[in-house]
mmCIF file of all heavy atoms in Angstrom:
data_model
loop_
_atom_site.group_PDB
_atom_site.id
_atom_site.type_symbol
_atom_site.label_atom_id
_atom_site.label_comp_id
_atom_site.label_asym_id
_atom_site.label_seq_id
_atom_site.Cartn_x
_atom_site.Cartn_y
_atom_site.Cartn_z
ATOM 1 N N ALA E 78 -85.464 128.800 42.259
ATOM 2 C CA ALA E 78 -86.331 129.428 41.314
ATOM 3 C C ALA E 78 -87.755 128.860 41.330
ATOM 4 O O ALA E 78 -88.659 129.357 40.797
ATOM 5 C CB ALA E 78 -85.826 129.201 39.910
ATOM 6 N N ILE E 79 -87.926 127.762 42.141
ATOM 7 C CA ILE E 79 -89.285 127.124 42.163
ATOM 8 C C ILE E 79 -89.910 127.637 43.382
ATOM 9 O O ILE E 79 -89.568 127.541 44.495
ATOM 10 C CB ILE E 79 -89.141 125.569 42.338
ATOM 11 C CG1 ILE E 79 -88.330 125.061 41.068
ATOM 12 C CG2 ILE E 79 -90.497 124.851 42.423
ATOM 13 C CD1 ILE E 79 -87.963 123.623 41.165
ATOM 14 N N GLY E 80 -91.208 128.179 43.104
ATOM 15 C CA GLY E 80 -91.952 128.780 44.241
ATOM 16 C C GLY E 80 -92.782 127.737 45.021
ATOM 17 O O GLY E 80 -92.909 127.770 46.239
ATOM 18 N N MET E 81 -93.153 126.664 44.369
ATOM 19 C CA MET E 81 -93.832 125.580 45.050
ATOM 20 C C MET E 81 -93.939 124.380 44.132
ATOM 21 O O MET E 81 -93.678 124.546 42.836
ATOM 22 C CB MET E 81 -95.264 125.984 45.451
ATOM 23 C CG MET E 81 -96.318 126.231 44.369
ATOM 24 S SD MET E 81 -97.994 126.300 44.974
ATOM 25 C CE MET E 81 -98.266 124.738 45.522
ATOM 26 N N VAL E 82 -94.237 123.249 44.717
ATOM 27 C CA VAL E 82 -94.367 121.987 43.880
ATOM 28 C C VAL E 82 -95.816 121.380 44.053
ATOM 29 O O VAL E 82 -96.158 121.267 45.283
ATOM 30 C CB VAL E 82 -93.334 120.910 44.247
ATOM 31 C CG1 VAL E 82 -93.520 119.625 43.517
ATOM 32 C CG2 VAL E 82 -91.929 121.546 44.040
ATOM 33 N N ILE E 83 -96.452 121.040 43.054
ATOM 34 C CA ILE E 83 -97.700 120.294 43.143
ATOM 35 C C ILE E 83 -97.341 118.993 42.594
ATOM 36 O O ILE E 83 -96.925 118.908 41.408
ATOM 37 C CB ILE E 83 -98.881 120.930 42.328
ATOM 38 C CG1 ILE E 83 -99.136 122.320 42.846
ATOM 39 C CG2 ILE E 83 -100.114 120.002 42.365
ATOM 40 C CD1 ILE E 83 -100.118 123.091 41.935
ATOM 41 N N VAL E 84 -97.477 117.863 43.349
ATOM 42 C CA VAL E 84 -97.220 116.555 42.909
ATOM 43 C C VAL E 84 -98.224 115.555 43.245
ATOM 44 O O VAL E 84 -98.713 115.548 44.334
ATOM 45 C CB VAL E 84 -95.812 116.128 43.383
ATOM 46 C CG1 VAL E 84 -95.685 116.020 44.915
ATOM 47 C CG2 VAL E 84 -95.287 114.752 42.794
ATOM 48 N N ASP E 85 -98.501 114.686 42.246
ATOM 49 C CA ASP E 85 -99.433 113.605 42.476
ATOM 50 C C ASP E 85 -98.729 112.436 43.312
ATOM 51 O O ASP E 85 -97.530 112.193 43.018
ATOM 52 C CB ASP E 85 -99.796 113.022 41.069
ATOM 53 C CG ASP E 85 -100.965 111.961 41.306
ATOM 54 O OD1 ASP E 85 -101.354 111.541 42.365
ATOM 55 O OD2 ASP E 85 -101.494 111.548 40.161
ATOM 56 N N VAL E 86 -99.315 111.977 44.289
ATOM 57 C CA VAL E 86 -98.804 111.009 45.183
ATOM 58 C C VAL E 86 -98.244 109.806 44.380
ATOM 59 O O VAL E 86 -97.173 109.175 44.680
ATOM 60 C CB VAL E 86 -99.737 110.628 46.314
ATOM 61 C CG1 VAL E 86 -99.156 109.473 47.135
ATOM 62 C CG2 VAL E 86 -99.941 111.830 47.270
ATOM 63 N N HIS E 87 -99.099 109.360 43.356
ATOM 64 C CA HIS E 87 -98.933 108.186 42.634
ATOM 65 C C HIS E 87 -98.609 108.533 41.182
ATOM 66 O O HIS E 87 -99.429 109.113 40.483
ATOM 67 C CB HIS E 87 -100.101 107.343 42.649
ATOM 68 C CG HIS E 87 -100.500 106.905 44.020
ATOM 69 N ND1 HIS E 87 -99.950 105.938 44.738
ATOM 70 C CD2 HIS E 87 -101.364 107.512 44.887
ATOM 71 C CE1 HIS E 87 -100.475 105.911 45.920
ATOM 72 N NE2 HIS E 87 -101.464 106.816 46.004
ATOM 73 N N LEU E 88 -97.357 108.343 40.692
ATOM 74 C CA LEU E 88 -96.918 108.755 39.434
ATOM 75 C C LEU E 88 -96.969 107.568 38.457
ATOM 76 O O LEU E 88 -96.367 107.541 37.348
ATOM 77 C CB LEU E 88 -95.595 109.487 39.339
ATOM 78 C CG LEU E 88 -95.576 110.768 40.149
ATOM 79 C CD1 LEU E 88 -94.188 111.411 40.201
ATOM 80 C CD2 LEU E 88 -96.571 111.764 39.425
ATOM 81 N N THR E 89 -97.631 106.500 38.811
ATOM 82 C CA THR E 89 -97.823 105.345 37.910
ATOM 83 C C THR E 89 -99.246 104.874 38.206
ATOM 84 O O THR E 89 -99.896 105.326 39.175
ATOM 85 C CB THR E 89 -96.916 104.121 38.236
ATOM 86 O OG1 THR E 89 -97.171 103.603 39.504
ATOM 87 C CG2 THR E 89 -95.447 104.553 38.160
ATOM 88 N N THR E 90 -99.700 103.904 37.435
ATOM 89 C CA THR E 90 -101.053 103.387 37.633
ATOM 90 C C THR E 90 -101.104 102.388 38.736
ATOM 91 O O THR E 90 -102.223 102.066 39.151
ATOM 92 C CB THR E 90 -101.592 102.744 36.300
ATOM 93 O OG1 THR E 90 -100.619 101.698 36.006
ATOM 94 C CG2 THR E 90 -101.698 103.700 35.249
ATOM 95 N N ASN E 91 -99.952 101.976 39.374
ATOM 96 C CA ASN E 91 -99.987 101.057 40.476
ATOM 97 C C ASN E 91 -100.072 101.820 41.739
ATOM 98 O O ASN E 91 -99.190 102.562 42.155
ATOM 99 C CB ASN E 91 -98.666 100.256 40.349
ATOM 100 C CG ASN E 91 -98.699 99.109 41.516
ATOM 101 O OD1 ASN E 91 -99.405 99.161 42.511
ATOM 102 N ND2 ASN E 91 -97.915 98.041 41.252
ATOM 103 N N PRO E 92 -101.178 101.794 42.455
ATOM 104 C CA PRO E 92 -101.416 102.461 43.723
ATOM 105 C C PRO E 92 -100.334 102.136 44.839
ATOM 106 O O PRO E 92 -100.215 102.889 45.812
ATOM 107 C CB PRO E 92 -102.823 102.154 44.159
ATOM 108 C CG PRO E 92 -103.067 100.879 43.468
ATOM 109 C CD PRO E 92 -102.276 100.831 42.213
ATOM 110 N N ARG E 93 -99.633 101.046 44.649
ATOM 111 C CA ARG E 93 -98.635 100.600 45.739
ATOM 112 C C ARG E 93 -97.390 101.429 45.629
ATOM 113 O O ARG E 93 -96.752 101.690 46.654
ATOM 114 C CB ARG E 93 -98.259 99.087 45.647
ATOM 115 C CG ARG E 93 -99.344 98.199 46.014
ATOM 116 C CD ARG E 93 -98.778 96.779 45.990
ATOM 117 N NE ARG E 93 -97.915 96.528 44.941
ATOM 118 C CZ ARG E 93 -97.830 95.485 44.243
ATOM 119 N NH1 ARG E 93 -98.714 94.477 44.413
ATOM 120 N NH2 ARG E 93 -96.934 95.331 43.323
ATOM 121 N N PHE E 94 -97.216 102.107 44.420
ATOM 122 C CA PHE E 94 -96.058 102.881 44.227
ATOM 123 C C PHE E 94 -96.473 104.360 44.573
ATOM 124 O O PHE E 94 -97.381 104.872 44.096
ATOM 125 C CB PHE E 94 -95.513 102.842 42.819
ATOM 126 C CG PHE E 94 -94.927 101.463 42.533
ATOM 127 C CD1 PHE E 94 -95.465 100.802 41.472
ATOM 128 C CD2 PHE E 94 -94.057 100.774 43.318
ATOM 129 C CE1 PHE E 94 -95.010 99.491 41.084
ATOM 130 C CE2 PHE E 94 -93.501 99.608 42.991
ATOM 131 C CZ PHE E 94 -94.072 98.874 41.842
ATOM 132 N N GLN E 95 -95.612 105.035 45.313
ATOM 133 C CA GLN E 95 -95.954 106.376 45.742
ATOM 134 C C GLN E 95 -94.670 107.331 45.513
ATOM 135 O O GLN E 95 -94.170 107.904 46.337
ATOM 136 C CB GLN E 95 -96.229 106.453 47.299
ATOM 137 C CG GLN E 95 -97.415 105.465 47.606
ATOM 138 C CD GLN E 95 -97.528 105.091 49.132
ATOM 139 O OE1 GLN E 95 -96.531 105.263 49.838
ATOM 140 N NE2 GLN E 95 -98.636 104.602 49.548
ATOM 141 N N GLU E 96 -94.356 107.278 44.189
ATOM 142 C CA GLU E 96 -93.342 108.111 43.687
ATOM 143 C C GLU E 96 -93.337 109.583 44.027
ATOM 144 O O GLU E 96 -92.315 110.144 44.472
ATOM 145 C CB GLU E 96 -93.076 107.974 42.187
ATOM 146 C CG GLU E 96 -93.052 106.551 41.575
ATOM 147 C CD GLU E 96 -94.299 105.900 41.479
ATOM 148 O OE1 GLU E 96 -95.391 106.578 41.798
ATOM 149 O OE2 GLU E 96 -94.428 104.900 40.800
ATOM 150 N N GLY E 97 -94.505 110.144 43.949
ATOM 151 C CA GLY E 97 -94.621 111.482 44.236
ATOM 152 C C GLY E 97 -94.499 111.816 45.666
ATOM 153 O O GLY E 97 -93.832 112.803 46.163
ATOM 154 N N TYR E 98 -94.995 110.898 46.580
ATOM 155 C CA TYR E 98 -94.721 111.140 48.012
ATOM 156 C C TYR E 98 -93.266 110.882 48.416
ATOM 157 O O TYR E 98 -92.735 111.732 49.205
ATOM 158 C CB TYR E 98 -95.592 110.074 48.757
ATOM 159 C CG TYR E 98 -95.583 110.282 50.301
ATOM 160 C CD1 TYR E 98 -96.356 111.302 50.831
ATOM 161 C CD2 TYR E 98 -94.874 109.521 51.143
ATOM 162 C CE1 TYR E 98 -96.334 111.511 52.189
ATOM 163 C CE2 TYR E 98 -94.854 109.697 52.463
ATOM 164 C CZ TYR E 98 -95.648 110.754 53.010
ATOM 165 O OH TYR E 98 -95.637 110.885 54.371
ATOM 166 N N ALA E 99 -92.588 110.025 47.705
ATOM 167 C CA ALA E 99 -91.186 109.801 48.004
ATOM 168 C C ALA E 99 -90.394 111.055 47.523
ATOM 169 O O ALA E 99 -89.464 111.467 48.180
ATOM 170 C CB ALA E 99 -90.646 108.512 47.282
ATOM 171 N N LEU E 100 -90.798 111.555 46.405
ATOM 172 C CA LEU E 100 -90.177 112.909 45.903
ATOM 173 C C LEU E 100 -90.349 114.011 46.946
ATOM 174 O O LEU E 100 -89.390 114.645 47.318
ATOM 175 C CB LEU E 100 -90.705 113.265 44.590
ATOM 176 C CG LEU E 100 -90.114 114.539 44.007
ATOM 177 C CD1 LEU E 100 -89.731 114.427 42.609
ATOM 178 C CD2 LEU E 100 -91.117 115.662 44.202
ATOM 179 N N TYR E 101 -91.573 114.145 47.473
ATOM 180 C CA TYR E 101 -91.849 115.035 48.501
ATOM 181 C C TYR E 101 -90.881 114.911 49.698
ATOM 182 O O TYR E 101 -90.214 115.900 50.156
ATOM 183 C CB TYR E 101 -93.322 114.969 48.934
ATOM 184 C CG TYR E 101 -93.504 115.510 50.309
ATOM 185 C CD1 TYR E 101 -93.609 116.887 50.598
ATOM 186 C CD2 TYR E 101 -93.756 114.678 51.378
ATOM 187 C CE1 TYR E 101 -93.821 117.396 51.913
ATOM 188 C CE2 TYR E 101 -93.895 115.109 52.615
ATOM 189 C CZ TYR E 101 -93.935 116.480 52.894
ATOM 190 O OH TYR E 101 -94.027 117.001 54.114
ATOM 191 N N GLU E 102 -90.806 113.691 50.175
ATOM 192 C CA GLU E 102 -89.935 113.473 51.309
ATOM 193 C C GLU E 102 -88.436 113.765 51.115
ATOM 194 O O GLU E 102 -87.823 114.375 51.874
ATOM 195 C CB GLU E 102 -90.089 111.969 51.804
ATOM 196 C CG GLU E 102 -91.420 111.624 52.360
ATOM 197 C CD GLU E 102 -91.451 110.198 52.959
ATOM 198 O OE1 GLU E 102 -91.072 109.300 52.105
ATOM 199 O OE2 GLU E 102 -91.862 110.095 54.070
ATOM 200 N N GLU E 103 -88.004 113.370 49.844
ATOM 201 C CA GLU E 103 -86.591 113.655 49.545
ATOM 202 C C GLU E 103 -86.417 115.089 49.357
ATOM 203 O O GLU E 103 -85.338 115.692 49.914
ATOM 204 C CB GLU E 103 -86.259 112.982 48.244
ATOM 205 C CG GLU E 103 -84.878 113.109 47.808
ATOM 206 C CD GLU E 103 -84.582 112.437 46.456
ATOM 207 O OE1 GLU E 103 -85.082 111.388 46.181
ATOM 208 O OE2 GLU E 103 -83.720 112.904 45.646
ATOM 209 N N TRP E 104 -87.199 115.816 48.608
ATOM 210 C CA TRP E 104 -86.937 117.247 48.406
ATOM 211 C C TRP E 104 -87.158 118.125 49.632
ATOM 212 O O TRP E 104 -86.515 119.137 49.797
ATOM 213 C CB TRP E 104 -87.879 117.774 47.165
ATOM 214 C CG TRP E 104 -87.422 117.396 45.844
ATOM 215 C CD1 TRP E 104 -86.548 116.248 45.555
ATOM 216 C CD2 TRP E 104 -87.795 117.897 44.645
ATOM 217 N NE1 TRP E 104 -86.374 116.211 44.224
ATOM 218 C CE2 TRP E 104 -87.216 117.146 43.636
ATOM 219 C CE3 TRP E 104 -88.696 118.962 44.228
ATOM 220 C CZ2 TRP E 104 -87.321 117.506 42.193
ATOM 221 C CZ3 TRP E 104 -88.903 119.223 42.963
ATOM 222 C CH2 TRP E 104 -88.151 118.598 41.934
ATOM 223 N N VAL E 105 -88.177 117.783 50.493
ATOM 224 C CA VAL E 105 -88.348 118.568 51.577
ATOM 225 C C VAL E 105 -87.170 118.481 52.606
ATOM 226 O O VAL E 105 -86.863 119.350 53.256
ATOM 227 C CB VAL E 105 -89.729 118.306 52.288
ATOM 228 C CG1 VAL E 105 -89.666 117.074 53.228
ATOM 229 C CG2 VAL E 105 -90.180 119.505 53.064
ATOM 230 N N ALA E 106 -86.509 117.348 52.561
ATOM 231 C CA ALA E 106 -85.296 117.056 53.390
ATOM 232 C C ALA E 106 -84.177 117.927 52.818
ATOM 233 O O ALA E 106 -83.289 118.491 53.573
ATOM 234 C CB ALA E 106 -84.935 115.630 53.421
ATOM 235 N N LEU E 107 -84.091 118.054 51.459
ATOM 236 C CA LEU E 107 -83.027 118.988 50.863
ATOM 237 C C LEU E 107 -83.342 120.403 50.875
ATOM 238 O O LEU E 107 -82.483 121.320 50.964
ATOM 239 C CB LEU E 107 -82.854 118.492 49.417
ATOM 240 C CG LEU E 107 -82.323 117.068 49.245
ATOM 241 C CD1 LEU E 107 -82.317 116.742 47.832
ATOM 242 C CD2 LEU E 107 -80.846 116.979 49.718
ATOM 243 N N HIS E 108 -84.659 120.702 50.832
ATOM 244 C CA HIS E 108 -85.108 122.141 50.617
ATOM 245 C C HIS E 108 -86.286 122.402 51.562
ATOM 246 O O HIS E 108 -87.472 122.380 51.134
ATOM 247 C CB HIS E 108 -85.626 122.429 49.155
ATOM 248 C CG HIS E 108 -84.495 121.960 48.133
ATOM 249 N ND1 HIS E 108 -83.356 122.531 47.941
ATOM 250 C CD2 HIS E 108 -84.593 120.807 47.358
ATOM 251 C CE1 HIS E 108 -82.720 121.806 47.051
ATOM 252 N NE2 HIS E 108 -83.416 120.854 46.558
ATOM 253 N N PRO E 109 -86.069 122.466 52.884
ATOM 254 C CA PRO E 109 -87.140 122.541 53.804
ATOM 255 C C PRO E 109 -88.113 123.600 53.716
ATOM 256 O O PRO E 109 -89.235 123.530 54.152
ATOM 257 C CB PRO E 109 -86.414 122.533 55.143
ATOM 258 C CG PRO E 109 -84.867 122.745 54.915
ATOM 259 C CD PRO E 109 -84.793 122.527 53.523
ATOM 260 N N THR E 110 -87.777 124.782 53.086
ATOM 261 C CA THR E 110 -88.701 125.813 52.943
ATOM 262 C C THR E 110 -89.481 125.750 51.583
ATOM 263 O O THR E 110 -90.262 126.651 51.335
ATOM 264 C CB THR E 110 -87.925 127.238 53.056
ATOM 265 O OG1 THR E 110 -86.969 127.167 51.891
ATOM 266 C CG2 THR E 110 -87.266 127.337 54.272
ATOM 267 N N LEU E 111 -89.255 124.756 50.670
ATOM 268 C CA LEU E 111 -89.970 124.676 49.499
ATOM 269 C C LEU E 111 -91.377 124.046 49.729
ATOM 270 O O LEU E 111 -91.494 122.976 50.257
ATOM 271 C CB LEU E 111 -89.185 123.771 48.507
ATOM 272 C CG LEU E 111 -89.773 123.462 47.158
ATOM 273 C CD1 LEU E 111 -90.063 124.798 46.430
ATOM 274 C CD2 LEU E 111 -88.991 122.551 46.343
ATOM 275 N N PRO E 112 -92.426 124.877 49.477
ATOM 276 C CA PRO E 112 -93.768 124.391 49.804
ATOM 277 C C PRO E 112 -94.311 123.275 48.783
ATOM 278 O O PRO E 112 -93.992 123.383 47.568
ATOM 279 C CB PRO E 112 -94.669 125.603 49.636
ATOM 280 C CG PRO E 112 -93.767 126.741 49.489
ATOM 281 C CD PRO E 112 -92.330 126.269 49.092
ATOM 282 N N PHE E 113 -95.029 122.383 49.285
ATOM 283 C CA PHE E 113 -95.584 121.358 48.495
ATOM 284 C C PHE E 113 -97.062 121.265 48.632
ATOM 285 O O PHE E 113 -97.588 121.606 49.736
ATOM 286 C CB PHE E 113 -94.998 119.952 48.908
ATOM 287 C CG PHE E 113 -93.773 119.524 48.264
ATOM 288 C CD1 PHE E 113 -92.501 120.180 48.731
ATOM 289 C CD2 PHE E 113 -93.749 118.686 47.244
ATOM 290 C CE1 PHE E 113 -91.398 119.724 48.069
ATOM 291 C CE2 PHE E 113 -92.533 118.329 46.564
ATOM 292 C CZ PHE E 113 -91.315 118.828 47.044
ATOM 293 N N LEU E 114 -97.755 120.850 47.571
ATOM 294 C CA LEU E 114 -99.106 120.545 47.649
ATOM 295 C C LEU E 114 -99.218 119.150 47.020
ATOM 296 O O LEU E 114 -98.845 118.905 45.815
ATOM 297 C CB LEU E 114 -100.031 121.459 46.894
ATOM 298 C CG LEU E 114 -101.468 121.143 46.711
ATOM 299 C CD1 LEU E 114 -102.239 121.003 48.119
ATOM 300 C CD2 LEU E 114 -102.183 122.127 45.803
ATOM 301 N N LEU E 115 -99.707 118.107 47.783
ATOM 302 C CA LEU E 115 -99.809 116.789 47.272
ATOM 303 C C LEU E 115 -101.283 116.576 46.804
ATOM 304 O O LEU E 115 -102.232 116.995 47.439
ATOM 305 C CB LEU E 115 -99.385 115.730 48.302
ATOM 306 C CG LEU E 115 -98.044 115.817 48.949
ATOM 307 C CD1 LEU E 115 -97.839 114.636 49.966
ATOM 308 C CD2 LEU E 115 -97.068 115.736 47.842
ATOM 309 N N ILE E 116 -101.440 115.926 45.731
ATOM 310 C CA ILE E 116 -102.770 115.557 45.180
ATOM 311 C C ILE E 116 -102.792 114.097 44.825
ATOM 312 O O ILE E 116 -101.801 113.425 44.610
ATOM 313 C CB ILE E 116 -103.003 116.407 43.867
ATOM 314 C CG1 ILE E 116 -101.975 116.166 42.769
ATOM 315 C CG2 ILE E 116 -103.053 117.845 44.188
ATOM 316 C CD1 ILE E 116 -102.233 116.804 41.405
ATOM 317 N N SER E 117 -104.037 113.539 44.965
ATOM 318 C CA SER E 117 -104.190 112.151 44.498
ATOM 319 C C SER E 117 -105.606 111.756 44.333
ATOM 320 O O SER E 117 -106.505 112.389 45.026
ATOM 321 C CB SER E 117 -103.674 111.305 45.623
ATOM 322 O OG SER E 117 -103.737 109.826 45.338
ATOM 323 N N GLY E 118 -105.849 110.865 43.412
ATOM 324 C CA GLY E 118 -107.181 110.376 43.204
ATOM 325 C C GLY E 118 -107.441 109.080 43.998
ATOM 326 O O GLY E 118 -108.511 108.435 43.971
#
Side-chain angles (χ1 to χ4, degrees):
I79 300 169
M81 70 169 292
V82 178
I83 300 172
V84 62
D85 190 350
V86 170
H87 305 276
L88 296 174
T89 66
T90 56
N91 188 333
R93 290 189 321 223
F94 297 124
Q95 301 162 344
E96 305 87 347
Y98 188 76
L100 178 134
Y101 156 74
E102 291 183 310
E103 181 182 325
W104 283 20
V105 85
L107 295 170
H108 315 286
T110 61
L111 181 59
F113 274 79
L114 173 62
L115 300 183
I116 60 175
S117 180

